[in-house]
Amino acid sequence: MIAVSSAPLITTNSRILVGTLARPSLDVQTGRAELTFPGFNYSISAFVESHVTTNPSRSVLKVYLDEGITLECEFLEKVVNGNQKILLEGKSELKVVSSQPRAHFIANTLESLFLLDSNARLKIPGLQLEIGITFAESLTMIGQYLQRRQTVFQLMTIEKRLNQSFSIPHRISDLERKDIAFAYHAVTCGTFDWPFRQGEFPCWATPEIKRQLTTIDGIEPIEITIDRYECFVLDKRIVLDEALIKIENPFIANLEKVSHELQSLDGHEFLVSIGSLTGRATYEFSDISFLNSIDWDERTTELVNLEDKLDERFFELGNHLAAATLDDLTEQEKAAITESFILNAEAFTDPATLGE
């Protein structure tokens, strides 16, 4: 759906529905255009160029939607009545030639709008042109586009909060997405719960540290203060200032090494590896300036505000798909699929004890 020059993503063609336009009298015509998405009550203004090709039955439109973002439409036509062209078929492609998160957020949002609104229209009054554009993808792929939109928005927010700049890579891995989500929560929530398996922390061999470490019993939480918390976002090291980490159900993973280090209480530094039996921890960052609101530009604000509508439409499609799946089934088959699954006490019994 999206083709990117400096940071390529995914390219897919859409179908252009039937429309009409006047025969251009110049090789290139320019004017205003508008993309409308009736299902979301949203429209976006743009600048358009109409190119005449060497093939008289082929036309190309390039719609400039925002900095580094274009919608390119190519279609075949048939001339009727001497000066009118009827669109026979065509394809369109949303392209991004910028690696900036804002450009990708706008493109991902427009991509999602095309995928979720089958009534999207491109209107160009100067060319007497109005065409319908539809992008078709599976529900799974739409979910992935919405997820990427969310990740890019988180990067935009981190940029604003920390005065940083990021470039969107060819691919964002699952681990990178988790790192981005963590940093986003840190700069927007201040205090939040997060999965925690194990981490290494510097300690000093002193009587007080020994007393604290010997109290770790896997039940009571332990609190660790880090003066300068650092993490990585897309291979860039960022500093999140002071952090308090409250580890639930903690245990010392390198207990043998720690016991050895504490045999000599001379203040030397060593690393203690602490894990969580339940895999949870609470992070609290002291810089409350993170909680201030962000002033986005007008277009970004409009697209951010479509979040709830995009999610609602996505789940509607999922429900319709599920309903369509049940249409051809018998009542007995429907009951078997939709029946609630109930676990009784026996489900939690140790299999080795069954029959005793």
Side-chain angles (χ1 to χ4, degrees):
M1 301 280 185
I2 302 177
V4 187
S5 174
S6 57
L9 298 178
I10 302 169
T11 303
T12 303
N13 291 328
S14 70
R15 301 294 298 174
I16 297 180
L17 305 182
V18 174
T20 61
L21 75 162
R23 176 193 293 274
S25 57
L26 301 174
D27 288 345
V28 178
Q29 286 193 343
T30 61
R32 303 301 302 175
E34 183 182 33
L35 266 177
T36 63
F37 301 94
F40 292 86
N41 193 29
Y42 179 73
S43 63
I44 181 172
S45 298
F47 178 79
V48 65
E49 285 182 354
S50 170
H51 297 262
V52 176
T53 67
T54 55
N55 184 344
S57 63
R58 176 176 171 269
S59 290
V60 175
L61 293 175
K62 181 176 285 190
V63 184
Y64 297 88
L65 298 167
D66 205 284
E67 183 178 356
I69 309 171
T70 58
L71 177 68
E72 296 187 8
C73 304
E74 178 182 337
F75 40 83
L76 297 178
E77 311 157 321
K78 179 181 179 181
V79 178
V80 296
N81 299 328
N83 67 346
Q84 292 289 317
K85 292 182 179 181
I86 298 177
L87 303 186
L88 300 178
E89 62 177 352
K91 61 181 181 179
S92 61
E93 189 176 11
L94 193 61
K95 293 186 175 182
V96 183
V97 294
S98 170
S99 62
Q100 295 181 354
R102 178 184 179 275
H104 283 259
F105 174 74
I106 293 175
N108 287 146
T109 305
L110 292 175
E111 181 71 53
S112 300
L113 289 170
F114 277 123
L115 290 167
L116 294 171
D117 191 347
S118 59
N119 295 315
R121 310 287 293 178
L122 172 63
K123 301 177 181 180
I124 308 175
L127 297 179
Q128 304 175 31
L129 171 65
E130 181 174 333
I131 53 178
I133 303 178
T134 58
F135 284 20
E137 272 293 0
S138 68
L139 199 63
T140 300
M141 289 300 297
I142 296 174
Q144 292 178 5
Y145 291 134
L146 290 173
Q147 183 185 58
R148 186 177 179 89
R149 173 183 180 272
Q150 181 184 59
T151 298
V152 174
F153 173 74
Q154 291 173 346
L155 276 173
M156 290 170 52
T157 303
I158 296 169
E159 282 187 328
K160 287 280 191 177
R161 295 292 197 202
L162 302 179
N163 194 27
Q164 296 278 344
S165 61
F166 300 98
S167 295
I168 301 296
H170 174 80
R171 178 180 177 274
I172 299 178
S173 68
D174 290 342
L175 179 59
E176 287 173 327
R177 189 166 60 248
K178 291 176 182 177
D179 290 340
I180 292 168
F182 176 87
Y184 171 78
H185 279 76
V187 301
T188 57
C189 302
T191 301
F192 58 97
D193 293 333
W194 199 256
F196 180 91
R197 295 301 175 190
Q198 191 170 304
E200 286 190 330
F201 304 92
C203 283
W204 293 263
T206 65
E208 176 59 23
I209 291 296
K210 181 177 181 179
R211 184 193 66 79
Q212 292 180 15
L213 292 178
T214 54
T215 61
I216 296 178
D217 57 4
I219 300 175
E220 294 298 322
I222 182 174
E223 294 185 351
I224 299 175
T225 299
I226 299 178
D227 294 334
R228 181 184 171 90
Y229 192 96
E230 297 180 353
C231 63
F232 284 90
V233 174
L234 296 181
D235 293 329
K236 179 178 289 190
R237 185 190 298 271
I238 63 174
V239 180
L240 298 173
D241 210 354
E242 184 179 272
L244 174 67
I245 307 175
K246 184 178 180 180
I247 304 173
E248 301 293 335
N249 305 104
F251 68 93
I252 298 177
N254 59 341
L255 184 58
E256 184 175 344
K257 175 177 173 55
V258 170
S259 298
H260 174 74
E261 296 288 352
L262 292 177
Q263 288 178 5
S264 177
L265 301 180
D266 56 2
H268 70 274
E269 183 177 342
F270 64 96
L271 290 176
V272 57
S273 182
I274 300 179
S276 169
L277 295 173
T278 51
R280 302 297 299 177
T282 300
Y283 289 77
E284 181 177 337
F285 290 89
S286 59
D287 190 350
I288 61 175
S289 65
F290 287 157
L291 304 181
N292 296 334
S293 61
I294 295 178
D295 293 327
W296 302 109
D297 61 86
E298 183 178 356
R299 175 158 293 175
T300 301
T301 299
E302 292 174 351
L303 296 178
V304 168
N305 291 338
L306 290 175
E307 179 78 18
D308 291 342
K309 289 184 178 180
L310 288 169
D311 290 342
E312 181 181 342
R313 179 57 181 155
F314 175 71
F315 286 113
E316 282 180 3
L317 286 179
N319 291 335
H320 290 162
L321 180 62
T325 303
L326 298 175
D327 281 347
D328 296 328
L329 300 181
T330 65
E331 292 302 320
Q332 185 177 2
E333 290 171 329
K334 291 179 182 179
I337 292 177
T338 58
E339 182 181 4
S340 299
F341 188 65
I342 300 175
L343 294 176
N344 56 26
E346 186 175 311
F348 299 96
T349 303
D350 185 348
T353 65
L354 291 177
E356 293 182 358

